Amino acid sequence: MKPLMYSQLDANTHNIGWRREGNEIRYYKNNMRDGQQPFYCLTWTIQFPHDQDTCFFAHFYPYTYTDLQCYLLSVANSPVQSQFCKLRTLCRSLAGNTVYLLTITNPSRTPQEAAAKKAVVLSARVHPGESNGSWIMKGFLDFILSSSPDAHLLRDIFVFKVVPMLNPDGVIVGNYRCSLAGRDLNRHYKTILKESFPCIWYTRNMIKSSLFIVVTLRCKSARKEQAEL
């Protein structure tokens, strides 16, 4: 949990990015309260590496919306990965940013094989401050899009629906937990307010549609087998 520091001079002159720094790290309850909830302080000491420098601090290695777009562009431009990974727009956020959806599965040889596949839904960054979630998601995508025999088997068995950044507005403006509307999207999965919570509304409908498609395919397959009999 040591804090991270980014020095612009080190980045420009030595190509050194974010790194763990700090000593005498303490996290403790202070004397302030918000109703019944106590407040806490995080303190540490740091020696800046240069004079006339600009430094930034973070609690974990950042992963930005631009980082995600660059990653997805590399996947879309890959002649191999693009065969079993389809990228589309799930919706637009309140600020008009694209919420991306990846559908990952190997092409099925028959309708029956497609019908047998179960849907697996993954998402990250509903809380924008949890940048470690994006790094975990990147690790998963690196694996499931790889030539690993295990990854190939999983793509044969499942259809993966991936929303890699559910709250892009919060990530872009630097919120820790909330959306652009100042709401915790994790508390609004039952919302009917499509215009206020588009990311959640469309994600929920995507999950319902994925389950409906699987059920429909199985029903059609069953009716075909009955007709053949």
Side-chain angles (χ1 to χ4, degrees), residues 92-95 181 191-199 201-202:
R92 296 282 181 176
S93 67
L94 282 178
T191 185
I192 60 173
L193 302 176
K194 176 181 176 181
E195 301 303 323
S196 298
F197 305 102
C199 306
W201 195 91
Y202 279 96

Side-chain angles (χ1 to χ4, degrees), residues 104-201:
I104 303 169
T105 190
N106 284 338
S108 300
R109 290 166 291 187
T110 65
Q112 291 77 16
E113 184 179 302
K117 290 185 176 182
K118 294 183 178 181
V120 179
V121 180
L122 299 94
S123 72
R125 297 301 282 279
V126 65
H127 293 151
E130 296 169 355
S131 55
N132 46 342
S134 281
W135 290 107
I136 294 171
M137 178 62 79
K138 181 181 181 301
F140 166 76
L141 291 174
D142 285 345
F143 164 73
I144 202 65
L145 297 174
S146 72
S147 58
S148 160
D150 289 337
H152 193 280
L153 176 62
L154 288 170
R155 295 196 302 267
D156 281 341
I157 299 173
F158 298 105
V159 178
F160 294 92
K161 296 284 189 175
V162 182
V163 185
M165 191 169 285
L166 194 57
N167 187 357
D169 292 352
V171 172
I172 291 169
V173 303
N175 288 351
Y176 182 76
R177 193 173 181 87
C178 296
S179 68
L180 200 63
R183 299 295 185 90
D184 183 348
L185 296 183
N186 226 18
R187 302 290 183 266
H188 292 276
Y189 278 98
K190 294 182 179 180
T191 185
I192 60 173
L193 302 176
K194 176 181 176 181
E195 301 303 323
S196 298
F197 305 102
C199 306
I200 293 297
W201 195 91

Side-chain angles (χ1 to χ4, degrees), residues 40-97:
Y40 292 80
C41 283
L42 172 65
T43 65
W44 72 95
T45 61
I46 188 77
Q47 182 173 351
F48 293 103
H50 308 286
D51 294 331
Q52 304 301 316
D53 190 10
T54 299
C55 294
F56 301 89
F57 293 93
H59 81 289
F60 197 82
Y61 290 95
Y63 192 99
T64 67
Y65 186 62
T66 300
D67 291 333
L68 173 66
Q69 289 180 310
C70 292
Y71 183 88
L72 296 181
L73 182 62
S74 69
V75 172
N77 289 336
S78 168
V80 176
Q81 294 176 334
S82 60
Q83 294 180 20
F84 50 79
C85 177
K86 304 304 178 185
L87 175 65
R88 71 176 182 88
T89 298
L90 176 67
C91 66
R92 296 282 181 176
S93 67
L94 282 178
N97 295 301

